[in-house]
Coordinates of all heavy atoms in Angstrom, one line a residue:
M1 N -1.6 -3.3 7.5 CA -0.5 -3.3 8.5 C 0.3 -4.6 8.3 O -0.3 -5.6 8.4 CB -1.1 -3.2 9.9 CG -0.1 -3.3 11.0 SD -0.7 -2.9 12.6 CE -1.8 -4.2 13.0
D2 N 1.6 -4.4 8.0 CA 2.5 -5.5 7.9 C 2.9 -6.0 9.3 O 3.7 -5.3 9.9 CB 3.7 -5.1 7.1 CG 4.5 -6.3 6.6 OD1 4.0 -7.4 6.6 OD2 5.6 -6.1 6.3
I3 N 2.4 -7.0 9.8 CA 2.6 -7.5 11.2 C 3.9 -8.1 11.4 O 4.6 -7.6 12.4 CB 1.4 -8.4 11.6 CG1 0.1 -7.8 11.5 CG2 1.7 -9.0 13.0 CD1 -1.1 -8.6 11.7
L4 N 4.3 -9.1 10.7 CA 5.6 -9.7 10.9 C 6.7 -8.8 10.2 O 6.7 -8.7 8.9 CB 5.6 -11.1 10.4 CG 4.6 -12.0 11.0 CD1 4.7 -13.4 10.3 CD2 4.9 -12.2 12.5
I5 N 7.7 -8.3 10.9 CA 8.7 -7.5 10.3 C 9.9 -8.4 9.9 O 10.3 -8.4 8.7 CB 9.2 -6.4 11.2 CG1 8.0 -5.5 11.5 CG2 10.4 -5.7 10.7 CD1 8.3 -4.4 12.5
K6 N 10.4 -9.2 10.8 CA 11.5 -10.2 10.4 C 11.6 -11.2 11.6 O 11.2 -11.0 12.7 CB 12.9 -9.4 10.4 CG 13.3 -8.8 11.7 CD 14.7 -8.1 11.4 CE 15.1 -7.4 12.7 NZ 16.4 -6.7 12.6
P7 N 12.2 -12.4 11.2 CA 12.4 -13.4 12.2 C 13.6 -13.2 13.0 O 14.5 -12.4 12.5 CB 12.5 -14.7 11.3 CG 13.0 -14.2 10.0 CD 12.4 -12.8 9.8
I8 N 13.6 -13.6 14.2 CA 14.8 -13.5 15.0 C 15.6 -14.8 14.9 O 15.1 -15.9 15.3 CB 14.5 -13.2 16.5 CG1 13.7 -12.0 16.6 CG2 15.6 -13.2 17.4 CD1 13.1 -11.7 17.9
V9 N 16.8 -14.8 14.3 CA 17.7 -15.9 14.2 C 19.0 -15.7 14.9 O 19.9 -15.1 14.4 CB 18.0 -16.2 12.7 CG1 18.8 -17.4 12.5 CG2 16.7 -16.2 11.8
T10 N 18.9 -16.1 16.2 CA 20.1 -16.1 17.1 C 20.4 -17.4 17.7 O 19.6 -18.4 17.5 CB 19.9 -15.1 18.2 OG1 18.7 -15.5 19.0 CG2 19.6 -13.7 17.7
E11 N 21.5 -17.6 18.4 CA 21.8 -18.9 19.0 C 20.7 -19.2 20.0 O 20.3 -20.4 20.1 CB 23.2 -18.8 19.6 CG 24.3 -18.8 18.7 CD 25.6 -18.8 19.4 OE1 25.7 -19.4 20.5 OE2 26.6 -18.3 18.9
K12 N 20.3 -18.3 20.8 CA 19.3 -18.6 21.8 C 17.9 -19.0 21.2 O 17.3 -19.9 21.7 CB 19.1 -17.3 22.7 CG 18.2 -17.5 23.9 CD 18.2 -16.3 24.8 CE 17.4 -16.5 26.0 NZ 17.4 -15.4 26.9
M13 N 17.5 -18.3 20.2 CA 16.2 -18.7 19.5 C 16.3 -20.0 18.8 O 15.4 -20.7 18.7 CB 15.7 -17.5 18.6 CG 15.1 -16.4 19.3 SD 13.8 -16.7 20.5 CE 12.7 -17.8 19.7
T14 N 17.5 -20.3 18.2 CA 17.7 -21.6 17.5 C 17.6 -22.7 18.5 O 17.0 -23.8 18.3 CB 19.0 -21.6 16.8 OG1 19.1 -20.5 15.9 CG2 19.2 -22.9 16.0
D15 N 18.2 -22.5 19.7 CA 18.1 -23.5 20.8 C 16.7 -23.7 21.3 O 16.2 -24.8 21.5 CB 19.0 -23.1 22.0 CG 19.1 -24.1 23.0 OD1 19.4 -25.3 22.7 OD2 19.0 -23.8 24.2
Q16 N 15.9 -22.6 21.4 CA 14.5 -22.7 21.8 C 13.7 -23.4 20.8 O 12.8 -24.1 21.1 CB 13.9 -21.3 22.0 CG 14.5 -20.5 23.2 CD 13.5 -20.4 24.3 OE1 12.3 -20.3 24.0 NE2 14.0 -20.3 25.5
S17 N 14.0 -23.1 19.5 CA 13.2 -23.8 18.4 C 13.4 -25.3 18.4 O 12.5 -26.1 18.2 CB 13.5 -23.2 17.0 OG 14.8 -23.5 16.7
E18 N 14.7 -25.7 18.7 CA 14.9 -27.2 18.7 C 14.3 -27.9 20.0 O 13.8 -28.9 19.9 CB 16.5 -27.4 18.7 CG 17.1 -27.0 17.4 CD 18.6 -26.9 17.5 OE1 19.2 -27.2 18.6 OE2 19.3 -26.6 16.4
K19 N 14.4 -27.2 21.1 CA 13.9 -27.8 22.4 C 12.5 -27.7 22.6 O 11.8 -28.6 23.0 CB 14.7 -27.2 23.6 CG 16.2 -27.6 23.7 CD 16.7 -27.0 24.9 CE 18.2 -27.3 25.0 NZ 18.9 -26.7 26.2
F20 N 11.9 -26.5 22.4 CA 10.5 -26.2 22.7 C 9.6 -25.9 21.6 O 8.4 -25.5 21.8 CB 10.5 -25.0 23.8 CG 11.3 -25.2 25.0 CD1 12.5 -24.5 25.2 CD2 11.0 -26.2 25.9 CE1 13.3 -24.7 26.3 CE2 11.8 -26.4 27.0 CZ 12.9 -25.6 27.2
N21 N 10.1 -25.9 20.4 CA 9.3 -25.6 19.1 C 8.8 -24.1 19.2 O 7.6 -23.9 18.9 CB 8.1 -26.6 19.0 CG 7.8 -26.8 17.5 OD1 8.5 -26.5 16.7 ND2 6.6 -27.3 17.3
R22 N 9.7 -23.2 19.6 CA 9.3 -21.8 19.7 C 10.2 -21.0 18.7 O 11.4 -21.3 18.5 CB 9.6 -21.2 21.1 CG 8.8 -21.8 22.2 CD 9.1 -21.1 23.5 NE 8.3 -21.7 24.5 CZ 8.7 -21.9 25.8 NH1 9.9 -21.4 26.2 NH2 7.9 -22.4 26.7
F23 N 9.5 -20.0 18.1 CA 10.2 -19.2 17.1 C 9.9 -17.7 17.4 O 8.9 -17.3 17.9 CB 9.7 -19.5 15.7 CG 10.0 -20.9 15.3 CD1 9.1 -21.9 15.6 CD2 11.1 -21.2 14.6 CE1 9.3 -23.3 15.3 CE2 11.4 -22.6 14.3 CZ 10.5 -23.5 14.6
G24 N 11.0 -16.9 17.2 CA 10.9 -15.5 17.5 C 10.7 -14.6 16.3 O 11.3 -14.8 15.3
F25 N 10.0 -13.5 16.4 CA 9.8 -12.5 15.4 C 9.8 -11.1 15.9 O 9.3 -10.9 17.0 CB 8.4 -12.7 14.7 CG 8.2 -14.0 14.0 CD1 7.7 -15.2 14.7 CD2 8.7 -14.2 12.7 CE1 7.5 -16.3 14.0 CE2 8.5 -15.4 12.1 CZ 8.0 -16.5 12.7
V26 N 10.3 -10.1 15.2 CA 10.1 -8.8 15.5 C 8.8 -8.4 14.8 O 8.7 -8.6 13.6 CB 11.3 -7.9 15.0 CG1 11.0 -6.4 15.2 CG2 12.6 -8.3 15.6
V27 N 7.9 -7.8 15.5 CA 6.6 -7.6 15.0 C 6.2 -6.0 15.1 O 6.9 -5.3 15.8 CB 5.5 -8.4 15.7 CG1 5.7 -9.8 15.4 CG2 5.4 -8.1 17.1
D28 N 5.1 -5.6 14.4 CA 4.7 -4.2 14.5 C 4.3 -4.0 16.0 O 3.7 -4.8 16.6 CB 3.5 -4.1 13.6 CG 3.1 -2.6 13.4 OD1 2.6 -2.0 14.5 OD2 3.1 -2.1 12.4
R29 N 4.6 -2.7 16.4 CA 4.3 -2.4 17.8 C 2.9 -2.4 18.2 O 2.5 -2.5 19.3 CB 5.0 -1.0 18.2 CG 6.5 -1.2 18.1 CD 7.2 0.0 18.6 NE 7.0 0.1 20.1 CZ 7.0 1.3 20.7 NH1 7.2 2.4 20.1 NH2 6.7 1.3 22.0
R30 N 2.0 -2.1 17.2 CA 0.6 -2.1 17.4 C -0.2 -3.4 17.3 O -1.4 -3.5 17.6 CB -0.1 -1.1 16.5 CG 0.5 0.4 16.6 CD 0.1 1.2 15.4 NE 0.8 0.6 14.3 CZ 0.7 1.1 13.0 NH1 -0.1 2.1 12.8 NH2 1.4 0.6 12.1
A31 N 0.6 -4.5 16.9 CA 0.0 -5.8 16.7 C -0.4 -6.5 18.0 O 0.3 -6.4 19.0 CB 0.9 -6.7 15.9
T32 N -1.6 -7.1 18.0 CA -2.0 -7.9 19.1 C -1.6 -9.3 19.0 O -1.2 -9.8 17.8 CB -3.6 -7.8 19.3 OG1 -4.2 -8.4 18.1 CG2 -4.0 -6.4 19.4
K33 N -1.8 -10.2 20.0 CA -1.5 -11.6 20.0 C -2.2 -12.3 19.0 O -1.8 -13.2 18.3 CB -1.6 -12.2 21.4 CG -0.5 -11.7 22.4 CD -0.7 -12.4 23.7 CE 0.3 -12.0 24.6 NZ 0.2 -12.7 25.9
I34 N -3.5 -11.9 18.9 CA -4.4 -12.6 17.9 C -4.0 -12.3 16.5 O -4.0 -13.2 15.6 CB -5.9 -12.2 18.2 CG1 -6.3 -12.6 19.6 CG2 -6.8 -12.7 17.1 CD1 -7.6 -11.9 20.1
E35 N -3.6 -11.1 16.2 CA -3.2 -10.7 14.8 C -1.8 -11.4 14.5 O -1.6 -11.9 13.4 CB -3.0 -9.2 14.7 CG -4.3 -8.4 14.8 CD -4.1 -6.9 14.9 OE1 -3.0 -6.5 15.3 OE2 -5.0 -6.2 14.7
I36 N -1.0 -11.5 15.5 CA 0.4 -12.2 15.3 C 0.1 -13.7 15.0 O 0.7 -14.2 14.1 CB 1.2 -12.0 16.5 CG1 1.6 -10.5 16.7 CG2 2.5 -12.9 16.4 CD1 2.3 -10.2 18.0
K37 N -0.8 -14.3 15.7 CA -1.1 -15.7 15.5 C -1.7 -15.9 14.1 O -1.2 -16.9 13.4 CB -2.1 -16.2 16.6 CG -2.5 -17.6 16.4 CD -3.5 -18.0 17.5 CE -4.0 -19.4 17.3 NZ -5.0 -19.8 18.4
A38 N -2.6 -15.1 13.7 CA -3.1 -15.3 12.4 C -2.1 -15.0 11.2 O -2.1 -15.7 10.3 CB -4.3 -14.3 12.2
A39 N -1.2 -14.1 11.5 CA -0.2 -13.8 10.4 C 0.8 -14.9 10.3 O 1.2 -15.3 9.2 CB 0.6 -12.5 10.8
V40 N 1.2 -15.5 11.4 CA 2.2 -16.6 11.4 C 1.5 -17.9 10.8 O 2.1 -18.6 9.9 CB 2.8 -17.0 12.8 CG1 3.5 -18.3 12.8 CG2 3.6 -15.8 13.3
E41 N 0.2 -18.2 11.1 CA -0.4 -19.4 10.6 C -0.7 -19.2 9.1 O -0.5 -20.2 8.4 CB -1.8 -19.5 11.3 CG -1.6 -20.0 12.7 CD -2.9 -20.3 13.4 OE1 -4.0 -19.7 13.0 OE2 -2.9 -20.9 14.5
S42 N -1.0 -18.0 8.6 CA -1.2 -17.8 7.2 C 0.1 -17.8 6.4 O 0.1 -18.3 5.3 CB -2.0 -16.6 6.9 OG -1.2 -15.4 7.2
M43 N 1.1 -17.2 6.9 CA 2.4 -17.1 6.2 C 3.2 -18.4 6.1 O 3.8 -18.7 5.1 CB 3.2 -16.0 6.8 CG 4.5 -15.6 6.0 SD 5.2 -14.2 6.7 CE 6.2 -13.7 5.4
Y44 N 3.2 -19.2 7.2 CA 4.0 -20.4 7.3 C 3.2 -21.7 7.2 O 3.8 -22.8 7.3 CB 4.9 -20.4 8.5 CG 5.9 -19.3 8.5 CD1 5.7 -18.1 9.2 CD2 7.0 -19.3 7.7 CE1 6.7 -17.0 9.2 CE2 8.0 -18.3 7.6 CZ 7.8 -17.2 8.4 OH 8.7 -16.2 8.4
N45 N 1.9 -21.6 7.1 CA 1.0 -22.8 7.1 C 1.3 -23.8 8.3 O 1.5 -25.0 8.1 CB 1.2 -23.6 5.8 CG 0.7 -22.7 4.6 OD1 -0.2 -22.0 4.7 ND2 1.5 -22.8 3.5
V46 N 1.3 -23.2 9.5 CA 1.5 -24.0 10.7 C 0.4 -23.6 11.7 O -0.4 -22.7 11.5 CB 2.8 -23.7 11.4 CG1 4.0 -24.2 10.5 CG2 3.0 -22.2 11.6
K47 N 0.2 -24.4 12.8 CA -0.7 -24.2 13.8 C 0.0 -23.6 15.0 O 0.9 -24.3 15.5 CB -1.5 -25.5 14.1 CG -2.6 -25.4 15.1 CD -3.8 -24.8 14.4 CE -5.0 -24.8 15.3 NZ -6.0 -23.8 15.0
V48 N -0.4 -22.4 15.5 CA 0.1 -21.8 16.7 C -0.5 -22.1 17.9 O -1.8 -22.1 18.0 CB 0.1 -20.3 16.4 CG1 0.7 -19.5 17.7 CG2 0.9 -19.8 15.3
A49 N 0.2 -22.6 18.9 CA -0.4 -23.0 20.2 C -0.4 -21.8 21.2 O -1.4 -21.6 21.9 CB 0.5 -24.1 20.9
A50 N 0.6 -20.9 21.2 CA 0.7 -19.8 22.1 C 1.5 -18.6 21.6 O 2.4 -18.9 20.7 CB 1.2 -20.2 23.5
V51 N 1.2 -17.4 22.0 CA 2.0 -16.2 21.6 C 2.4 -15.5 22.8 O 1.5 -15.2 23.6 CB 1.2 -15.4 20.6 CG1 2.0 -14.2 20.2 CG2 0.9 -16.1 19.3
N52 N 3.6 -15.1 23.0 CA 4.1 -14.3 24.1 C 4.8 -13.1 23.5 O 5.5 -13.2 22.5 CB 5.1 -15.0 25.0 CG 4.5 -16.2 25.7 OD1 4.3 -17.2 25.0 ND2 4.2 -16.1 26.9
T53 N 4.4 -11.9 24.0 CA 5.0 -10.7 23.4 C 5.8 -9.9 24.4 O 5.5 -10.0 25.7 CB 3.9 -9.8 22.8 OG1 2.9 -9.4 23.8 CG2 3.2 -10.4 21.7
M54 N 6.7 -9.1 24.0 CA 7.6 -8.2 24.8 C 7.8 -6.9 24.1 O 8.1 -6.9 22.9 CB 9.0 -8.9 25.1 CG 8.8 -10.1 25.9 SD 10.2 -11.2 25.6 CE 9.4 -12.3 24.4
N55 N 7.7 -5.8 24.8 CA 8.0 -4.5 24.3 C 9.3 -4.1 24.8 O 9.7 -4.1 26.0 CB 6.9 -3.4 24.7 CG 5.6 -3.6 24.0 OD1 5.6 -3.7 22.8 ND2 4.6 -3.7 24.7
Y56 N 10.2 -3.7 23.8 CA 11.5 -3.2 24.2 C 11.6 -1.7 23.8 O 11.3 -1.3 22.7 CB 12.6 -4.0 23.4 CG 12.8 -5.4 23.8 CD1 12.1 -6.5 23.3 CD2 13.8 -5.7 24.8 CE1 12.3 -7.7 23.7 CE2 14.0 -7.0 25.2 CZ 13.3 -8.0 24.7 OH 13.5 -9.3 25.1
Q57 N 12.1 -1.0 24.8 CA 12.4 0.4 24.6 C 13.8 0.6 24.0 O 14.7 -0.2 24.3 CB 12.3 1.3 25.8 CG 12.3 2.7 25.6 CD 12.0 3.5 26.8 OE1 11.6 2.9 27.8 NE2 12.0 4.8 26.8
G58 N 14.0 1.6 23.1 CA 15.3 1.7 22.5 C 16.4 2.1 23.5 O 16.1 2.8 24.5
K59 N 17.6 1.7 23.2 CA 18.7 2.0 24.1 C 19.2 3.4 23.9 O 19.3 3.9 22.7 CB 19.8 1.0 24.0 CG 19.5 -0.4 24.3 CD 20.7 -1.3 24.0 CE 20.3 -2.7 24.4 NZ 21.5 -3.6 24.2
K60 N 19.7 4.1 24.9 CA 20.4 5.4 24.8 C 21.8 5.2 24.2 O 22.5 4.3 24.7 CB 20.5 6.1 26.1 CG 19.2 6.9 26.4 CD 19.4 7.6 27.7 CE 20.1 8.9 27.5 NZ 20.0 9.8 28.7
K61 N 22.2 5.9 23.2 CA 23.5 5.9 22.6 C 24.1 7.2 22.6 O 23.4 8.2 22.4 CB 23.4 5.3 21.2 CG 22.8 3.9 21.1 CD 23.9 2.9 21.4 CE 23.3 1.5 21.1 NZ 24.3 0.4 21.0
S62 N 25.4 7.3 22.7 CA 26.1 8.5 22.5 C 27.4 8.3 21.7 O 28.0 7.3 21.9 CB 26.4 9.2 23.9 OG 27.2 8.4 24.6
R63 N 27.7 9.3 21.0 CA 29.0 9.3 20.2 C 29.8 10.5 20.4 O 29.2 11.6 20.5 CB 28.6 9.3 18.7 CG 28.6 7.9 18.1 CD 28.4 8.0 16.6 NE 28.1 9.2 16.0 CZ 27.5 9.4 14.8 NH1 27.2 8.3 14.1 NH2 27.3 10.6 14.3
Y64 N 31.1 10.4 20.4 CA 31.9 11.6 20.5 C 32.5 11.9 19.2 O 33.1 11.1 18.5 CB 33.1 11.3 21.5 CG 32.6 11.0 22.9 CD1 32.4 9.6 23.3 CD2 32.2 12.0 23.8 CE1 31.9 9.3 24.6 CE2 31.7 11.7 25.0 CZ 31.6 10.4 25.4 OH 31.1 10.1 26.7
T65 N 32.3 13.2 18.7 CA 32.7 13.6 17.4 C 33.4 14.9 17.6 O 33.6 15.5 18.7 CB 31.5 13.8 16.4 OG1 30.7 14.8 16.9 CG2 30.7 12.5 16.3
K66 N 34.0 15.4 16.5 CA 34.6 16.8 16.5 C 33.7 17.9 16.9 O 34.1 18.8 17.6 CB 35.2 17.1 15.1 CG 36.4 16.4 14.7 CD 36.8 16.9 13.3 CE 37.9 16.0 12.7 NZ 38.3 16.5 11.4
A67 N 32.4 17.7 16.5 CA 31.5 18.7 16.8 C 30.9 18.6 18.3 O 30.2 19.5 18.8 CB 30.2 18.6 15.9
G68 N 31.3 17.6 19.0 CA 30.9 17.4 20.4 C 30.2 16.0 20.5 O 30.2 15.2 19.7
V69 N 29.5 15.9 21.6 CA 28.8 14.7 21.9 C 27.4 14.7 21.2 O 26.7 15.6 21.3 CB 28.6 14.5 23.4 CG1 27.8 13.2 23.7 CG2 29.9 14.5 24.1
I70 N 27.2 13.6 20.5 CA 25.8 13.4 19.8 C 25.1 12.3 20.6 O 25.6 11.2 20.7 CB 26.0 13.0 18.4 CG1 26.7 14.1 17.6 CG2 24.7 12.7 17.7 CD1 27.1 13.7 16.2
E71 N 23.9 12.6 21.1 CA 23.2 11.6 21.8 C 21.8 11.3 21.1 O 21.3 12.1 20.4 CB 22.8 12.2 23.2 CG 24.0 12.4 24.1 CD 23.7 12.8 25.5 OE1 22.5 13.2 25.7 OE2 24.6 12.7 26.3
G72 N 21.4 10.1 21.3 CA 20.2 9.7 20.7 C 19.7 8.3 21.2 O 20.2 7.8 22.2
R73 N 18.8 7.7 20.5 CA 18.2 6.4 20.9 C 18.1 5.5 19.7 O 17.9 6.0 18.6 CB 16.8 6.6 21.5 CG 16.7 7.0 22.9 CD 15.3 6.9 23.4 NE 15.3 7.1 24.8 CZ 15.5 6.2 25.7 NH1 15.8 5.0 25.3 NH2 15.4 6.5 27.0
T74 N 18.2 4.2 19.9 CA 17.9 3.2 18.9 C 16.4 3.1 18.9 O 15.7 3.5 19.8 CB 18.5 1.9 19.2 OG1 18.1 1.4 20.4 CG2 20.1 2.0 19.2
A75 N 15.9 2.5 17.8 CA 14.4 2.3 17.7 C 13.8 1.4 18.7 O 14.4 0.3 19.0 CB 14.1 1.9 16.3
S76 N 12.6 1.7 19.2 CA 11.9 0.7 20.0 C 11.3 -0.4 19.1 O 10.9 -0.1 18.0 CB 10.8 1.4 20.8 OG 11.4 2.4 21.7
F77 N 11.0 -1.6 19.8 CA 10.4 -2.6 19.0 C 9.7 -3.6 19.8 O 9.8 -3.5 21.1 CB 11.5 -3.4 18.1 CG 12.5 -4.1 18.9 CD1 12.4 -5.4 19.2 CD2 13.7 -3.5 19.4 CE1 13.3 -6.1 19.9 CE2 14.6 -4.1 20.1 CZ 14.4 -5.5 20.4
K78 N 8.9 -4.4 19.3 CA 8.1 -5.4 19.9 C 8.5 -6.8 19.4 O 8.7 -7.0 18.2 CB 6.6 -5.3 19.7 CG 5.7 -6.2 20.4 CD 4.2 -5.8 20.2 CE 3.3 -6.4 21.2 NZ 1.9 -5.9 21.0
K79 N 8.7 -7.7 20.3 CA 9.1 -9.1 20.0 C 8.1 -10.1 20.4 O 7.5 -10.0 21.4 CB 10.5 -9.4 20.7 CG 11.1 -10.7 20.4 CD 12.5 -10.8 20.9 CE 12.7 -11.1 22.3 NZ 14.1 -11.4 22.7
A80 N 7.9 -11.0 19.5 CA 6.9 -12.1 19.8 C 7.6 -13.4 19.7 O 8.3 -13.7 18.8 CB 5.7 -12.1 18.7
I81 N 7.3 -14.2 20.8 CA 7.7 -15.6 20.8 C 6.5 -16.5 20.5 O 5.5 -16.5 21.3 CB 8.3 -16.0 22.1 CG1 9.4 -15.0 22.5 CG2 8.9 -17.4 22.1 CD1 10.6 -15.0 21.6
V82 N 6.6 -17.2 19.4 CA 5.4 -18.1 19.0 C 5.8 -19.6 19.3 O 6.8 -20.0 18.8 CB 5.2 -17.8 17.5 CG1 4.1 -18.7 17.0 CG2 4.9 -16.3 17.2
T83 N 4.9 -20.2 20.0 CA 5.0 -21.6 20.3 C 4.1 -22.4 19.3 O 2.9 -22.1 19.2 CB 4.6 -22.0 21.7 OG1 5.4 -21.2 22.6 CG2 4.9 -23.4 22.0
L84 N 4.6 -23.3 18.5 CA 3.8 -24.1 17.6 C 3.4 -25.4 18.2 O 4.0 -25.8 19.2 CB 4.7 -24.4 16.3 CG 5.3 -23.2 15.6 CD1 6.0 -23.7 14.4 CD2 4.2 -22.2 15.2
V85 N 2.3 -26.0 17.6 CA 1.9 -27.3 18.2 C 2.9 -28.3 17.8 O 3.6 -28.1 16.8 CB 0.5 -27.6 17.6 CG1 -0.6 -26.7 18.0 CG2 0.5 -27.7 16.1
E86 N 2.9 -29.5 18.5 CA 3.8 -30.5 18.2 C 3.7 -31.1 16.8 O 2.6 -31.3 16.4 CB 3.8 -31.6 19.2 CG 5.0 -32.5 19.3 CD 5.0 -33.3 20.6 OE1 4.4 -32.8 21.6 OE2 5.6 -34.4 20.5
G87 N 4.8 -31.2 16.1 CA 4.7 -31.7 14.8 C 4.9 -30.7 13.7 O 5.3 -31.0 12.6
D88 N 4.6 -29.4 14.0 CA 4.8 -28.3 13.0 C 6.2 -27.7 13.2 O 6.7 -27.8 14.3 CB 3.7 -27.2 13.2 CG 2.4 -27.6 12.6 OD1 2.3 -28.5 11.9 OD2 1.4 -26.9 12.9
N89 N 6.7 -27.1 12.1 CA 8.0 -26.6 12.2 C 8.1 -25.4 11.1 O 7.4 -25.5 10.1 CB 9.1 -27.6 11.9 CG 10.4 -27.2 12.3 OD1 10.6 -26.1 12.9 ND2 11.4 -27.9 11.9
I90 N 8.9 -24.4 11.4 CA 9.2 -23.3 10.4 C 10.7 -23.4 10.0 O 11.5 -23.5 10.8 CB 8.9 -21.9 11.0 CG1 7.4 -21.8 11.5 CG2 9.3 -20.8 10.1 CD1 7.1 -20.6 12.2
D91 N 10.8 -23.4 8.6 CA 12.2 -23.4 8.1 C 12.5 -22.1 7.5 O 12.0 -21.8 6.4 CB 12.4 -24.6 7.1 CG 13.8 -24.8 6.7 OD1 14.7 -24.2 7.4 OD2 14.0 -25.4 5.6
F92 N 13.3 -21.3 8.2 CA 13.7 -19.9 7.7 C 14.6 -20.0 6.5 O 14.8 -19.1 5.8 CB 14.2 -19.1 8.8 CG 13.3 -18.8 9.8 CD1 13.6 -19.0 11.2 CD2 12.1 -18.2 9.6 CE1 12.7 -18.8 12.2 CE2 11.2 -17.9 10.6 CZ 11.5 -18.1 11.9
Y93 N 15.4 -21.1 6.4 CA 16.4 -21.2 5.3 C 16.0 -21.8 4.1 O 16.8 -22.1 3.2 CB 17.6 -21.9 5.9 CG 18.1 -21.3 7.3 CD1 17.9 -21.9 8.5 CD2 18.7 -20.1 7.2 CE1 18.4 -21.4 9.7 CE2 19.2 -19.5 8.4 CZ 19.0 -20.2 9.6 OH 19.4 -19.6 10.8
S94 N 14.7 -22.2 3.9 CA 14.3 -22.9 2.7 C 14.3 -22.2 1.4 O 14.5 -22.7 0.4 CB 12.8 -23.4 3.0 OG 12.0 -22.3 3.1
N95 N 14.2 -20.8 1.5 CA 14.2 -20.0 0.2 C 15.5 -19.3 0.0 O 15.5 -18.3 -0.7 CB 13.0 -19.1 0.2 CG 13.0 -18.2 1.4 OD1 13.9 -18.2 2.3 ND2 12.0 -17.4 1.5
I96 N 16.6 -19.8 0.5 CA 17.9 -19.1 0.3 C 18.5 -19.6 -1.0 O 18.5 -20.8 -1.2 CB 18.8 -19.3 1.5 CG1 18.3 -18.6 2.7 CG2 20.2 -18.8 1.2 CD1 19.1 -18.8 4.0

C-alpha cells in the first residue's frame, strides 16, 4: 500500500511549516496514524512528533451541457498533518 500520495503545498501549509514545523500530505484513505508516521520517517529521514488526520468527502459538482445536466462527485481523500520534532525539516523543493 502506497501510503503517502502527495504533499500539500499551499500558502496555509507553508505558513504552518514555518511557524509550527507541520507538514501536510494527502494519504491513502485506509492508512492509520502509525503507518503514516512510519512512512514519513522512512521517506524523509526525520522524527515525527504527532500525526493528525482528516477525512474529506468529495464535493458535489454539476455541469450544464447540450445533453442536459451532468451531476457527479469529486474524489474523497484523507489528509494528514504531520508535526516534526524541533530541529527537523522537510524540503519539498530539493529535487526540482
Side-chain angles (χ1 to χ4, degrees):
M1 174 167 72
D2 194 21
I3 295 173
L4 299 178
I5 297 173
K6 65 180 179 180
I8 300 171
V9 182
T10 59
E11 287 183 30
K12 188 174 183 179
M13 283 311 306
T14 304
D15 190 44
Q16 291 250 331
S17 67
E18 291 170 358
K19 289 182 181 175
F20 305 111
N21 209 18
R22 292 183 185 149
F23 298 88
F25 295 93
V26 175
V27 296
D28 190 296
R29 294 189 66 207
R30 298 165 294 177
T32 63
K33 290 183 180 185
I34 296 166
E35 293 171 341
I36 294 166
K37 179 180 178 179
V40 171
E41 286 179 347
S42 67
M43 188 169 199
Y44 294 104
N45 297 322
V46 293
K47 187 76 175 154
V48 175
V51 177
N52 298 75
T53 60
M54 293 152 263
N55 285 308
Y56 285 90
Q57 188 168 357
K59 295 180 181 180
K60 274 182 87 170
K61 298 278 186 166
S62 61
R63 264 188 349 201
Y64 299 98
T65 63
K66 287 183 187 178
V69 178
I70 299 173
E71 292 184 346
R73 280 192 170 274
T74 59
S76 299
F77 63 97
K78 185 173 193 175
K79 183 163 78 170
I81 306 297
V82 177
T83 305
L84 304 181
V85 296
E86 197 164 330
D88 282 348
N89 196 8
I90 296 175
D91 187 17
F92 294 125
Y93 306 109
S94 63
N95 57 0
I96 293 178

